[in-house]
Amino acid sequence: MLVAGGCFWCVEADLEKLPGVKRVVSGYAGGETENPTYDTYASGGHREVVEVTYDPTLVSYEQILIYALKHMDPTDDDGSFGDRGDYYSPAFYYETDEERAIIDRLIAEVNESGPYEKPLAIDIETRPTFWPAEEYHQDYYKGPVSRLQYKFYRRASGRDQFIESHWGEDTDATLPWRADASS
C-alpha cells in the first residue's frame, strides 16, 4: 500500500514502528515522468510517498491509515509543516473499491469526531506506479550521520509538536472515540 504524509523520511520512520508492518520504502508516485529522482520528482508531478508491506493478520489496512493519519498533518493540502508544495501533501491510495470505502469512512469519521479544527485535506487516489527513492533516502533516520540531520529536521519541522497537540500520547493505530463508544 502507498501513503503520503509529507517528508518520506518521517513517514517511513513512523510507520516502521507500527507492529505488523514488515517493510517501508521511501519513494515517489503520481507524476507524469518515469524513473523520477530526488532532483526531478517535483517537476515531474510526483509526490513523496512510502510503500508499506505488512502482515494483514497483525495489522489491517485501516489501522495503517489511522496510524499514518495520526503522524502527519492531514489538514494541510499545500504541503506538510515546513515542506511546501503538492509533492508534500497528504494522500491515501487505494487499489480496490473496498479500500476506497475504508478511506472514505475513515475520513468522514475523523472529520466528525477527530481533534482537528479544520476538515481533513487528504487526497484520495488510485494507486499509481511507485518508484523507490535513492538508497541514501532509505532508513535515513537510522544512518550514522543522517540520524542527527534527521532528528534536527524533524524537531525543527514542528511535526512532533503538531502530533502531540492533537493526539497527546495516543498515537497508536486506534481511534479513542471508538473505545469510548463501545464502553
Side-chain angles (χ1 to χ4, degrees), residues 61-62 65 97-107:
Y61 178 83
E62 183 188 52
L65 296 176
D97 290 341
E98 179 185 357
E99 289 176 350
R100 172 67 195 240
I102 289 168
I103 294 169
D104 289 339
R105 283 192 306 269
L106 177 62
I107 288 175

Side-chain angles (χ1 to χ4, degrees), residues 46-66:
H46 296 276
R47 200 184 244 128
E48 285 194 12
V49 300
V50 298
E51 182 178 56
V52 181
T53 304
Y54 63 99
D55 181 341
T57 65
L58 300 175
V59 65
S60 70
Y61 178 83
E62 183 188 52
Q63 287 173 311
I64 294 169
L65 296 176
I66 291 168

Side-chain angles (χ1 to χ4, degrees), residues 25-45:
V25 177
S26 291
Y28 317 106
E32 301 298 321
T33 58
E34 300 232 349
N35 298 308
T37 67
Y38 192 69
D39 293 329
T40 66
Y41 80 94
S43 63

